[in-house]
């Protein structure tokens, strides 16, 4: 999976030192060497001529460039793509807000970890003087011209945190960024409330270009349980044609739904409907290998650590599941007794905390309103959007009202008159 780090900060904030600590910890990390046109230091740069720079610009291969200290510094698209294709984690040094925006926009599907390094001005001055490069005044001017980031996945004061600890914080953020993101998919309806399959398929085609890992079809968010089996199958087929089976999860409310998913090579997420633990155990025994589950107290007995341990020992542990209304402590307990089971927290209110507790991913219901208009994939951008949408949804009285609100947010240029 593509992951990259933006290391943002003013001169002498510690970008080189922290990058070296990252590389020492894990060889997957690689210092992305910017191109440079001009005189001065060549170490750490890929030197090119003005003519080569012009050629890259004409070809549209420049993501961002800036001029400082009498030289031009360049972030180019081919080198970034090469690093990502090699499954490396490029660490890209920047000191301009525009550079951060340009990078994320150039590769919105990449899992970005935006890290801000900072130190007090007097510490920066001491570090610059120690380099003995003869340009202290100019670099301090650049320090003063570097604004703080409005949002970041990690913020580190390198005057207080040593490079090894800083690398550890960044690695934790990288691990969190690699979490699975599942978004419930809506089916669109006519003004009279009946299914609009043409609009649904067009909407699915638009959503397919997003970075979402899995679309959950016919889930409770979309009131899939209120549709007859035949209509659930029609919705699944519409999304299947647009997206393909590998990114779909079919919320299965019946054995017929499980069979329909299997016929289409789509992973079923079977709703755990059981009034007691023995019923839940019988249910788990019936699931085909490779199935997932959806556990919500509204539908019966919850999937907890005790049930997970039993399922593992009995050879019927699902591969993953959306677990709603679960505490961070319960996430940790399930992960401890059944680490093979991928926990997807049904709440996206606390993404970083859920992952730190042991979840492998989250189900971001609010993002159903933004499937065709998602930000670049950085948790520092995703969480605020989830929170803002969640605030609106929390004001609504019931699931039906929330579903209506979500549908109202969806732009439908593909819908008919």
């Amino acid at each position: 999976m593509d992951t990259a780090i933006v290391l943002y900060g003013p001169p002498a904030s510690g970008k080189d030192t922290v990058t070296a600590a990252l590389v020492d910890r894990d060889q997957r990390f690689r210092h992305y060497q910017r191109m440079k046109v001009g005189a001065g230091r060549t170490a750490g740069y890929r030197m090119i001529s003005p003519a080569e720079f012009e050629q890259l610009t004409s070809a549209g291969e420049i993501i961002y460039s800036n001029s400082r200290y009498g030289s031009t510094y360049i972030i180019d698209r081919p080198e970034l793509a090469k690093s990502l294709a090699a499954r490396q984690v490029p660490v890209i040094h920047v000191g301009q807000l525009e550079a951060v925006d340009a990078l994320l926009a150039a590769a919105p599907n990449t899992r970005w970890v935006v890290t801000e390094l900072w130190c007090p001005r007097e510490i920066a001055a001491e570090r610059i003087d120690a380099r003995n490069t003869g340009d202290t005044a100019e670099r301090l001017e650049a320090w003063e011209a570097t604004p703080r980031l409005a949002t970041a996945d990690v913020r580190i004061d390198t005057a207080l945190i040593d490079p090894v600890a800083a690398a550890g914080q960044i690695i934790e953020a990288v691990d969190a960024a690699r979490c699975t993101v599942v978004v419930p998919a809506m089916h669109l309806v006519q003004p009279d409330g009946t299914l609009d399959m043409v609009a649904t398929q067009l909407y699915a085609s638009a959503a397919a270009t997003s970075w979402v890992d899995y679309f959950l079809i016919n889930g409770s968010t979309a009131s899939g349980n209120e549709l007859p089996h035949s209509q659930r199958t029609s919705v699944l087929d519409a999304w299947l044609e647009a997206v393909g089976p590998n990114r779909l999860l079919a919320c299965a409310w019946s054995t017929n739904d499980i069979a329909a998913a299997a016929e289409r090579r789509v992973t079923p997420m079977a709703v755990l409907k059981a009034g007691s633990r023995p019923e839940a155990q019988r249910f788990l025994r019936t699931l085909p290998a490779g199935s997932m589950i959806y556990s919500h107290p509204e539908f019966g007995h919850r999937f907890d650590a005790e049930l997970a341990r039993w399922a593992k020992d009995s050879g019927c542990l699902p591969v993953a599941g959306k677990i709603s209304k679960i505490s961070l402590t319960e996430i940790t307990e399930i992960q401890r007794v059944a680490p093979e089971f991928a926990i997807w927290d049904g709440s996206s209110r606390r993404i970083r905390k859920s992952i730190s507790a042991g979840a492998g991913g989250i189900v971001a219901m609010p993002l159903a309103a933004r499937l065709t208009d998602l930000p670049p994939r950085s948790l520092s951008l995703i969480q605020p959007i989830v929170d803002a949408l969640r605030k609106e949804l929390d004001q609504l009285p019931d699931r039906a009202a929330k579903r209506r609100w979500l549908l109202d947010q969806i732009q439908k240029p593909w819908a008919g008159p």
Side-chain angles (χ1 to χ4, degrees), residues 255-326:
T255 55
N256 287 337
D257 291 338
I258 294 175
E263 290 171 2
R264 292 157 174 79
R265 300 185 183 278
V266 173
T267 300
M269 179 176 276
V271 181
L272 180 56
K273 294 187 288 185
S276 64
R277 185 174 301 278
E279 286 183 24
Q281 292 172 343
R282 286 193 293 272
F283 174 85
L284 293 174
R285 286 190 186 281
T286 66
L287 294 182
S291 296
M292 300 181 183
I293 58 167
Y294 170 27
S295 172
H296 192 297
E298 177 182 350
F299 305 117
H301 190 82
R302 298 172 66 244
F303 188 83
D304 55 18
E306 184 178 344
L307 187 55
R309 182 187 290 108
W310 173 87
K312 178 181 177 180
D313 293 343
S314 301
C316 57
L317 182 70
V319 296
K322 172 186 176 182
I323 313 297
S324 296
K325 308 299 182 183
I326 187 171

Side-chain angles (χ1 to χ4, degrees), residues 104 214 263 267 297 309 318 344 353:
L104 271 61
Y214 292 105
E263 290 171 2
T267 300
R309 182 187 290 108
W344 293 342
K353 289 182 178 180

